[in-house]
Amino acid sequence: MLIEPLFIVATSAASFAALNRLFGRFYPSGEKREETETDRAVECERRWRWKNVSTSFVHAVVAGGMALYSYWTSPELLRDLAHAFSPSGYRLVAISLGYFVYDFFDMVLFNRTRQSMELMLHHIIIFLCHGIALHYRLYIGYAVFSLLAELNSIFLHSRQLMLMKRVDTKSFPYRLCSITNLATFLIFRIGVLAYMTRWQILHRHEIPLSHLAVGSVGLVVMTAMNAILLKRLLKSDFGRKRKSR
């Protein structure tokens, strides 16, 4: 029974890894000049981040789009987050898990920074939560609902790519992306987390203790990480404006 999801997870991880390598061909490098060892290290970090964020952007588009499609074709997933099942939702969870497997090892092998460590913790939580959903064929609606956060990630990663391309932060395209990023952050990250927390509290007596423990730890970690990310975004995109007045 687990052969299909394992195959999808492995294929997804391999596909995103290949996509990462492809994006390396489109890295916006600057002019060639004399470089020190430090310059080369910085350039290597920038190249890695460009490939990683570009790949993450593709996952956000795919996962966010598939989450909406799953709810459109199987609205029962919204009515019963624990027991409702749909093939498209199940495959989405497997595809997304494959992406997180790729991203985890991409950071382990090439970018073991403090920020990456935070993301690796996030990914470990995803491994546990999505793994439980795939293994038991339960909580598919809950897992798909969590992936609505990828609708925000589309704009979050677009903003990062704009910064890497050195787009003027005062330009209309950047400001539009920044405002849309904040709006979707509040809806699809804060709002989604709030609903997931409420659902888990209301249904805590129906969930096995081990699953409830994993879900609770996951919600605490996700809430803390999103609070930190929101603070960084507000300071970066809206703090300068307040200081300049």
Side-chain angles (χ1 to χ4, degrees):
M1 184 179 292
L2 287 176
I3 293 177
E4 181 189 2
L6 286 175
F7 176 76
I8 295 174
V9 170
T11 302
S12 172
S15 298
F16 281 112
L19 193 61
N20 177 283
R21 291 182 63 86
L22 178 63
F23 278 124
R25 297 174 179 269
F26 302 98
Y27 174 66
S29 56
E31 297 180 2
K32 297 286 185 180
R33 58 184 179 82
E34 291 277 335
E35 291 184 337
T36 64
E37 193 69 30
T38 301
D39 292 332
R40 284 191 288 272
V42 170
E43 185 69 8
C44 184
E45 161 71 15
R46 287 175 177 168
R47 179 180 289 274
W48 176 86
R49 189 162 298 282
W50 167 265
K51 296 191 297 179
N52 182 269
V53 174
S54 297
T55 308
S56 298
F57 172 81
V58 173
H59 170 258
V61 172
V62 171
M66 284 188 69
L68 293 177
Y69 174 79
S70 295
Y71 283 130
W72 177 263
T73 57
S74 305
E76 64 273 14
L77 288 176
L78 270 176
R79 292 192 292 268
D80 187 350
L81 298 185
H83 302 99
F85 181 88
S86 83
S88 61
Y90 189 75
R91 293 188 183 104
L92 166 58
V93 176
I95 291 170
S96 190
L97 180 55
Y99 160 76
F100 288 113
V101 169
Y102 136 76
D103 198 45
F104 180 86
F105 284 103
D106 188 43
M107 288 184 288
V108 167
L109 295 173
F110 304 112
N111 195 258
R112 282 176 287 185
T113 62
R114 178 180 175 181
Q115 187 175 4
S116 291
M117 294 297 179
E118 295 173 3
L119 288 173
M120 281 187 262
L121 174 61
H122 167 276
H123 289 10
I124 290 171
I125 297 294
I126 295 293
F127 295 162
L128 293 172
C129 294
H130 284 201
I132 289 173
L134 292 173
H135 179 74
Y136 292 100
R137 298 171 76 90
L138 292 172
Y139 317 115
I140 300 302
Y142 191 83
V144 171
F145 194 79
S146 72
L147 289 170
L148 289 174
E150 295 301 324
L151 293 170
N152 164 252
S153 294
I154 294 172
F155 302 99
L156 183 68
H157 297 318
S158 294
R159 171 187 171 277
Q160 290 176 298
L161 291 171
M162 283 184 173
L163 290 173
M164 281 184 255
K165 291 278 286 184
R166 294 181 173 84
V167 172
D168 185 358
T169 56
K170 295 180 181 178
S171 66
F172 176 75
Y174 182 88
R175 296 306 297 170
L176 178 62
C177 181
S178 177
I179 292 170
T180 307
N181 178 40
L182 179 59
T184 56
F185 192 104
L186 296 175
I187 297 169
F188 294 113
R189 286 186 182 268
I190 304 301
V192 162
L193 274 173
Y195 186 86
M196 291 172 65
T197 302
R198 176 181 179 274
W199 182 89
Q200 190 164 296
I201 292 172
L202 292 176
H203 295 84
R204 64 188 182 279
H205 300 300
E206 307 167 20
I207 305 172
L209 184 58
S210 59
H211 296 177
L212 184 63
V214 171
S216 299
V217 171
L219 285 173
V220 170
V221 171
M222 300 300 177
T223 300
M225 292 185 68
N226 278 287
I228 293 170
L229 180 56
L230 178 60
K231 180 181 177 181
R232 289 172 179 169
L233 286 173
L234 290 173
K235 182 178 180 181
S236 175
D237 281 2
F238 301 97
R240 288 194 303 266
K241 188 174 181 180
R242 289 196 297 269
K243 288 178 181 178
S244 63
R245 289 180 178 177

